[in-house]
Amino acid sequence: MEDPTPRPSHEITGAEIVIRCLHEEKVKFVFGYPGGAVLHIYDAIFKQDKFKHILVRHEQAAVHAADAYARATGEVGVALVTSGPGATNAVTGIATAYMDSIPLVVISGQVPTPAIGMDAFQEVDMVGITRPCVKHNFLVKDVRDIAPTIRKAFYIAATGRPGPVVVDIPKDITAHLARFDYPATVELRSYTPVMKGHSGQIKKAVRLLLEARRPMIYTGGGLVLGGASSELVKLAHTLGYPVTNTLMGLGGYPSTDRQFVGMLGMHGTYEANMAMQDCDVLLAVGARFDDRVIGNPEHFFSKDRTIIHIDVDPSSISKRVKVDVPIVGHVQSVLAEMNELLAGETKKPDAAALKAWWAQIDEWRGKESLNYKMDGQVIKPQYVVQKLWEVTKGDAYVTSDVGQHQMWAAQYYKFDKPRRWINSGGLGTMGVGLPYAMGCQLADPTAQVACITGEGSIQMNIQELSTCHQFRLPIKVVLLNNRYLGMVRQWQEFFYENRYSESYMDSLPDFVKLAESYGHVGMKIEKPGDVEGALKEAFDMKDRFVFMDFITDPKENVFPMVPNGKGLSEMILAGDE
């Protein structure tokens, strides 16, 4: 349909410029929800066919889905929301992406320029509200600035340490006319991310690694975001050293490889935490030594060790833990240079010392810290995750919400590929699981996508069952239903003398009927012997969304566990409590 508004042939509206910018960036999906301040943009979307708009049912889900799309593909995710409540609904998704360093561009509508600051209908200061939880944000005040601003937004979001960027555009600006001119390059005087690490520091790091007697390689989400998994595998195999991943780093090193000692941290394996605590040379790659990983820093430094830290963000180095050899640079580039140096080295690791170190690690492995007791009468949540891994042959995209089910997913699903484990690590956002699954399924329509969730988390964005039906997304929901806010209940059991204050989930819906009311397949599984069959049946339905409600043991806890304020070697194991 032709726009009847007369205009010079070389000028287009600000809304059309927004769309042309997204075309230039080769955006495939925009996740959003319309409203008054962005109606010009939505009208321009109607007239184009180069990207698909995914209509969510809540703006928070739009940002989460765009976030997951970015995590799964490595591309910049894009969300579009209106002003006022549309913008504020997006903030939780923006903060989630910020904490996990996910590249997003969130375009928000704003009231017309003359109304800004006048308490206009649906006005909020989006730039002010998001300032603490974005990599950068912009308020566009001139239609001629739209194209260069969006170009900058994509560049900033994707380079250096990735992160979300907000572009706030007043409604009148999207109606004004201007020439479209998309910058080919971006130069920002105050922003020059470092790519290549310092060669001298890299040589020093390699020398220290070769001299190590109890080495450890510790990697985080930065390894996955930096696309450096193959470089890490080559380095680890060349040296023969043990590797551990953080929650965000899972899949960065193959979980089924013998050199992998499991996830570390608050709910990490006994062997990973003990090796991390007792190593003499530690190589940290794209990780930030956060509180859930090393526990009490004072306890961590009770043992002497030399720390090498590779990170693209200089502010992450020596932030919580003082390191000996800082290397600022893109992790893929730095690890590649390390591998080149190792290939030309005549010196090799001390074979006797390494053999003794592995013998110690194998002794710790003998604790079998992830063992749990099966019960023929009740479904154990760990068993469901193990069977999910078997049924999907370890080749699914697995999203999770936040809580006990998240930890069980991390512990018992063996991720061998990067970008397959999609969860909220830094912010710990309940409600991400279903929209994350949407983003993954759209990123790879032929893939198996499983959302492992809890009955508390799933209800926070349950409305997205409607979006899944509209866009025919064959996601499989694995609900580990223990009728509690599980992790809250576990902490109340351990640290609050069993005072279960508001952690019991009373009046739960019939999830089978709920799923069916949205047009999906629902299943309720109550017996351990039915778990595997239900999973196989669900994944055999290639083109259907299936909601599986597994009624699990309400008293099961996540082990190992490092209590808050304790050190890595002060774990509670199953049977210790």
Side-chain angles (χ1 to χ4, degrees):
M1 188 170 69
E2 291 295 322
D3 184 346
T5 308
R7 69 186 74 173
S9 60
H10 59 281
E11 291 188 333
I12 59 177
T13 67
E16 291 167 327
I17 290 172
V18 171
I19 303 308
R20 290 281 297 274
C21 291
L22 298 181
H23 292 170
E24 289 289 332
E25 293 291 343
K26 297 181 171 53
V27 170
K28 300 181 185 71
F29 293 98
V30 172
F31 301 86
Y33 200 96
V38 287
L39 282 185
H40 293 322
I41 298 175
Y42 270 90
D43 193 48
I45 288 174
F46 184 82
K47 300 171 186 176
Q48 64 85 47
D49 60 3
K50 291 188 178 180
F51 63 76
K52 189 175 181 66
H53 180 275
I54 304 300
L55 176 65
V56 297
R57 301 320 190 244
H58 191 285
E59 291 88 355
Q60 179 179 339
V63 183
H64 289 329
D67 172 341
Y69 182 86
R71 293 181 198 238
T73 63
E75 300 170 13
V76 177
V78 180
L80 172 61
V81 299
T82 193
S83 64
T88 57
N89 283 346
V91 172
T92 297
I94 293 167
T96 301
Y98 179 71
M99 287 290 282
D100 289 346
S101 305
I102 307 303
L104 288 184
V105 170
V106 179
I107 299 171
S108 58
Q110 185 53 273
V111 299
T113 307
I116 292 176
M118 305 299 289
D119 294 331
F121 176 67
Q122 292 194 331
E123 179 189 2
V124 297
D125 177 7
M126 187 59 168
V127 168
I129 287 171
T130 61
R131 188 171 285 120
C133 60
V134 292
K135 188 173 179 185
H136 197 62
N137 57 20
F138 299 91
L139 172 62
V140 180
K141 296 180 180 178
D142 188 315
V143 66
R144 292 167 295 184
D145 292 335
I146 291 176
T149 299
I150 291 178
R151 180 72 176 89
K152 289 173 187 175
F154 274 85
Y155 173 71
I156 292 168
T159 54
R161 180 178 181 172
V165 178
V166 168
V167 181
D168 198 35
I169 310 178
K171 185 173 183 178
D172 59 320
I173 301 299
T174 62
H176 293 171
L177 299 175
R179 293 173 63 94
F180 176 69
D181 183 14
Y182 203 62
T185 58
V186 176
E187 286 187 19
L188 298 170
R189 187 173 55 186
S190 60
Y191 178 69
T192 52
V194 176
M195 290 297 291
K196 190 173 171 56
H198 188 282
S199 292
Q201 292 289 83
I202 294 172
K203 288 175 184 174
K204 185 177 180 181
V206 168
R207 189 166 63 250
L208 285 167
L209 284 169
L210 289 171
E211 292 170 356
R213 300 182 63 80
R214 300 186 310 282
M216 188 70 174
I217 300 173
Y218 146 60
T219 76
L223 178 87
V224 175
L225 294 170
S229 294
S230 60
E231 286 78 8
L232 173 70
V233 170
K234 184 176 180 181
L235 180 82
H237 285 174
T238 299
L239 294 169
Y241 291 174
V243 180
T244 183
N245 295 153
T246 66
L247 178 72
M248 297 306 299
L250 291 175
Y253 189 85
S255 294
T256 55
D257 189 289
R258 189 192 176 277
Q259 286 174 233
F260 184 65
V261 296
M263 180 177 74
L264 84 162
M266 179 173 276
H267 295 294
T269 65
Y270 186 77
E271 54 269 30
N273 284 347
M274 293 300 291
M276 183 79 168
Q277 183 66 21
D278 282 12
C279 67
D280 67 343
V281 176
L282 176 64
L283 172 63
V285 184
R288 54 192 179 90
F289 294 90
D290 70 86
D291 55 306
R292 292 293 174 104
V293 167
I294 64 163
N296 185 338
E298 190 175 327
H299 179 275
F300 185 64
F301 277 108
S302 64
K303 294 285 183 79
D304 245 358
R305 67 180 67 76
T306 300
I307 301 176
I308 304 156
H309 191 179
I310 306 167
D311 205 291
V312 74
D313 180 9
S315 73
S316 290
I317 296 179
S318 291
K319 186 174 185 177
R320 291 196 78 243
V321 166
K322 190 176 187 308
V323 305
D324 302 283
V325 184
I327 304 173
V328 178
H330 195 279
V331 290
Q332 187 180 50
S333 166
V334 174
L335 289 179
E337 191 169 337
M338 281 186 164
N339 282 323
E340 284 178 22
L341 289 172
L342 285 169
E345 268 286 347
T346 54
K347 184 173 182 177
K348 302 297 176 189
D350 185 321
L354 189 57
K355 184 179 179 181
W357 179 229
W358 272 112
Q360 174 62 80
I361 291 171
D362 286 338
E363 184 181 321
W364 289 325
R365 271 179 169 159
K367 285 269 190 184
E368 297 183 328
S369 60
L370 295 183
N371 273 4
Y372 60 94
K373 292 179 182 178
M374 280 294 287
D375 183 332
Q377 304 304 311
V378 64
I379 297 173
K380 292 292 184 177
Q382 303 95 318
Y383 178 71
V384 178
V385 178
Q386 286 179 316
K387 286 300 173 184
L388 176 67
W389 178 73
E390 291 175 15
V391 167
T392 60
K393 298 180 172 59
D395 196 30
Y397 287 87
V398 177
T399 75
S400 86
D401 276 291
V402 171
Q404 286 181 316
H405 61 271
Q406 177 189 24
M407 295 301 108
W408 286 317
Q411 290 173 330
Y412 295 95
Y413 198 99
K414 300 173 186 175
F415 295 95
D416 279 342
K417 298 177 183 177
R419 299 191 180 278
R420 293 302 185 95
W421 168 233
I422 314 292
N423 80 119
S424 168
L427 198 64
T429 307
M430 292 174 70
V432 297
L434 185 54
Y436 271 3
M438 289 158 42
C440 291
Q441 194 72 78
L442 288 161
D444 190 346
T446 63
Q448 302 177 101
V449 178
C451 169
I452 298 177
T453 185
E455 72 287 344
S457 287
I458 191 64
Q459 293 187 84
M460 289 197 169
N461 269 312
I462 196 75
Q463 75 285 337
E464 297 311 312
L465 288 175
S466 178
T467 307
C468 293
H469 182 67
Q470 178 178 345
F471 294 97
R472 300 291 187 267
L473 303 178
I475 293 159
K476 309 300 184 273
V477 170
V478 178
L479 173 60
L480 302 180
N481 186 347
N482 61 11
R483 285 80 71 206
Y484 278 97
L485 296 176
M487 193 60 84
V488 174
R489 183 205 58 74
Q490 180 169 333
W491 279 55
Q492 287 171 338
E493 178 184 329
F494 285 13
F495 311 119
Y496 296 90
E497 298 176 335
N498 299 304
R499 291 187 294 275
Y500 300 128
S501 178
E502 305 302 325
S503 56
Y504 179 65
M505 295 294 287
D506 207 355
S507 301
L508 288 173
D510 182 327
F511 286 108
V512 171
K513 288 181 180 178
L514 182 61
E516 290 173 347
S517 74
Y518 278 101
H520 303 305
V521 176
M523 298 180 180
K524 187 174 185 178
I525 303 95
E526 300 181 86
K527 297 177 181 177
D530 294 336
V531 170
E532 186 172 1
L535 287 166
K536 285 180 177 178
E537 184 182 350
F539 280 94
D540 282 343
M541 288 186 262
K542 305 290 185 188
D543 60 346
R544 295 300 303 274
F545 182 109
V546 183
F547 194 117
M548 289 166 278
D549 182 10
F550 291 93
I551 307 302
T552 62
D553 187 346
K555 297 180 180 178
E556 194 70 11
N557 289 323
V558 180
F559 294 109
M561 180 180 181
V562 178
N564 205 25
K566 297 292 185 179
L568 280 179
S569 61
E570 298 175 298
M571 288 163 277
I572 301 173
L573 304 180
D576 288 351
E577 78 279 21

